[in-house]
Amino acid sequence: MKNNNLLTCKPVSGIIAFSLPIMASSLLQYCYNLVDNIIVGRYVGTDALAAVGNVSSINSFIIGTALGLTSGFTIIVAQDFGARNKSRMNKYAANSISLSLLIGIVIAVVAHLLSTPLLRLIDTPENIIDMSSSYVNILYYSVPIQMALNNFNALSRAVGESKKPLYFLIASVLVNVVLDLLFVGGFGWGVEGAAWATAASQLVAAVLSGVYIFKYNKQLTIKLRDLKLDPKVCSKQLKMGIPISLQFTITSIGSMILQTAINGFGSNVIAGFTAAGRVEQVLNIPMSGLGVGTMTFVSQNYGAGNYDRIIKSVKKIFVLDICASVVCSIILVSVGPSVVKLFMTDYNSDIMFAANHYLRAIAQCYSLVAVLFVFRNTLQGLGFTYSNAIAGAGELLGRIAVALILTPYLGFDAVCYAGPVAWLLADIPLVVIYLVKQKKFKKLALRGEG
């Protein structure tokens, strides 16, 4: 097992180098939605853009729940890579593939049953509910594909390979752009065309990633016969994956409740909030990418018993992430409003007011996101995934408090600060849990066990 760079490199530079392809991959994945939004907004109209944005909270609830599972399935793979336990690593890797596909099929069925009732539950305006339903239901056909893709990419990262998923996503995004222009701009299929383009492009990435994992990844040796599900392995992987999935589920419920409050302001505000949210997602990528890189670094070094190396590196990455959040805050305020205008041709003062107000509120508190990414991913890499569920509960509490209690009194201001409140309530338990675990690792390092 020669690929052990994260076990021997200079930690910060090694994590950054490992994270850069992940950031680029996240940017490309974001482009799926970005291209949909720009093309839909320009070719179809503001109501169509609002319809696509309106489903984001529901989509996060269902897709996030699914993908959270795969993130947990591969933690043990990364730890076994660090421990150089190749036989167990391959066993867990193969099981994660089969388990992801099986769960993906189940979730796809449930998603189709729940999507329209959930759209009504969040008070989707009548003028966009049909478009929202059409868009999201097409996307749900690809849930098993998305789970497979996420699992293949997570397996690559677990064994120290972050570049190959980027190459596959480049091909996928090119397919997405071409099909978006063809289906929406050429054929006039509206939001349905954007959804089919996204689903098809994800299939391309999943096939390429799967071929690489089975045939060309030198660290993993997975045969087709290894794909038979092992109940004991499934149990362990579910114990890791379910808390992460719960984090996505809980926070998405909070987002849906908040979306209900946003929908009360009308389609113009929904469109402005949606466009500003897309800008925020782009600027999340550096901190999110460093978080995923840190998680892999921590997982591998935890498996190798390098406890002191973990403690020192997390401190440095924390400082780096805080600095990144400051830079991102400046970009949000200075460049964000101009980017918002790219999403539509018929923007008006109501749309721009909502977008600008939201961007300023987020920029004031963006360092809270840095804290969230560093400690949530560190604890996840250590295998303490229950912390994800606790943090998710904090985020849910924050969004419910804003949506149900403060919005009637503070109006749109409350909606804009819902995110920062949620981040703060998630940060507090994560920092406390990490500091408790850090004491344990310091003792192990001093005894020479790391």
Side-chain angles (χ1 to χ4, degrees):
M1 301 174 72
K2 297 178 181 179
N3 189 1
N4 62 348
N5 184 52
L6 291 177
L7 296 170
T8 59
C9 65
K10 291 182 178 179
V12 174
S13 59
I15 291 173
I16 292 174
F18 184 81
S19 299
L20 287 175
I22 297 173
M23 295 178 198
S25 295
S26 297
L27 182 60
L28 288 171
Q29 287 176 318
Y30 166 82
C31 284
Y32 288 138
N33 288 329
L34 179 64
V35 170
D36 285 346
N37 280 209
I38 291 177
I39 293 177
V40 166
R42 287 183 170 270
Y43 282 95
V44 189
T46 299
D47 280 355
L49 176 62
V52 172
N54 178 65
V55 305
S56 61
S57 59
I58 294 175
N59 206 31
S60 295
F61 171 64
I62 294 174
I63 303 296
T65 298
L67 300 188
L69 287 168
T70 60
S71 297
F73 293 167
T74 56
I75 291 173
I76 298 176
V77 176
Q79 292 178 350
D80 285 341
F81 177 83
R84 293 178 171 80
N85 189 341
K86 190 167 186 177
S87 61
R88 198 172 91 132
M89 179 184 73
N90 287 323
K91 182 177 182 180
Y92 274 74
N95 201 84
S96 72
I97 295 171
S98 299
L99 190 57
S100 294
L101 284 171
L102 176 61
I103 293 176
I105 293 170
V106 173
I107 291 178
V109 173
V110 174
H112 279 95
L113 296 174
L114 293 179
S115 58
T116 301
L118 286 174
L119 284 169
R120 296 198 178 280
L121 184 64
I122 64 172
D123 292 334
T124 300
E126 286 300 320
N127 62 314
I128 64 173
I129 191 167
D130 289 339
M131 284 190 290
S132 292
S133 180
S134 297
Y135 179 77
V136 79
N137 276 301
I138 292 171
L139 289 182
Y140 291 154
Y141 287 119
S142 67
V143 170
I145 296 171
Q146 291 183 66
M147 286 199 69
L149 173 60
N150 197 63
N151 188 75
F152 290 142
N153 289 342
L155 287 174
S156 291
R157 290 192 296 266
V159 297
E161 174 59 79
S162 60
K163 293 181 180 178
K164 292 297 190 300
L166 171 61
Y167 303 151
F168 304 143
L169 279 170
I170 290 173
S172 178
V173 168
L174 291 175
V175 170
N176 188 52
V177 172
V178 172
L179 292 182
D180 254 325
L181 291 171
L182 181 64
F183 294 167
V184 181
F187 296 166
W189 290 357
V191 295
E192 294 94 338
W196 281 118
T198 298
S201 60
Q202 288 171 339
L203 177 61
V204 170
V207 170
L208 292 174
S209 299
V211 170
Y212 172 69
I213 287 294
F214 280 101
K215 289 193 172 183
Y216 301 107
N217 189 296
K218 295 179 180 178
Q219 306 303 325
L220 294 167
T221 308
I222 301 174
K223 306 296 182 183
L224 290 177
R225 62 177 179 271
D226 299 328
L227 296 176
K228 182 179 179 181
L229 289 171
D230 184 319
K232 291 184 179 179
V233 175
C234 286
S235 176
K236 291 181 180 179
Q237 289 182 319
L238 287 169
K239 285 179 181 177
M240 287 286 190
I242 287 175
I244 301 174
S245 181
L246 280 175
Q247 170 222 318
F248 283 104
T249 302
I250 293 168
T251 55
S252 296
I253 290 172
S255 296
M256 284 192 289
I257 293 172
L258 182 63
Q259 187 68 48
T260 304
I262 296 167
N263 288 347
F265 293 98
S267 58
N268 279 334
V269 170
I270 297 172
F273 191 87
T274 297
R278 297 294 184 252
V279 177
E280 180 200 349
Q281 287 172 10
V282 173
L283 291 173
N284 264 339
I285 288 173
M287 292 178 287
S288 175
L290 282 172
V292 176
T294 300
M295 181 186 71
T296 305
F297 172 88
V298 169
S299 293
Q300 291 187 4
N301 282 275
Y302 180 72
N306 298 329
Y307 307 116
D308 190 54
R309 179 174 166 85
I310 292 172
I311 294 169
K312 292 178 179 178
S313 302
V314 169
K315 290 179 181 178
K316 295 177 181 178
I317 290 297
F318 174 71
V319 173
L320 180 63
D321 247 353
I322 291 293
C323 294
S325 72
V326 173
V327 174
C328 290
S329 294
I330 294 171
I331 296 173
L332 276 173
V333 175
S334 60
V335 181
S338 298
V339 178
V340 165
K341 294 179 181 179
L342 293 175
F343 289 90
M344 60 201 88
T345 57
D346 56 346
Y347 55 85
N348 54 48
S349 58
D350 289 338
I351 292 174
M352 294 310 301
F353 171 81
N356 291 339
H357 210 58
Y358 178 70
L359 291 172
R360 285 195 297 270
I362 294 298
Q364 293 168 6
C365 311
Y366 221 37
S367 293
L368 294 172
V369 180
V371 178
L372 181 63
F373 280 128
V374 171
F375 292 105
R376 186 171 67 193
N377 282 283
T378 296
L379 290 167
Q380 189 172 318
L382 293 170
F384 305 126
T385 56
Y386 66 86
S387 62
N388 291 68
I390 295 173
E395 290 194 62
L396 173 63
L397 179 62
R399 288 191 169 90
I400 288 178
V402 169
L404 299 183
I405 301 174
L406 298 180
T407 301
Y409 300 99
L410 301 179
F412 190 64
D413 278 338
V415 170
C416 292
Y417 285 97
V421 171
W423 301 333
L424 177 62
L425 294 181
D427 287 344
I428 293 171
L430 289 173
V431 172
V432 171
I433 294 170
Y434 176 74
L435 291 175
V436 172
K437 299 300 180 183
Q438 185 187 62
K439 291 181 180 179
K440 174 184 175 182
F441 293 139
K442 282 182 176 179
K443 291 178 180 178
L444 291 172
L446 289 172
R447 289 208 302 263
E449 297 182 30

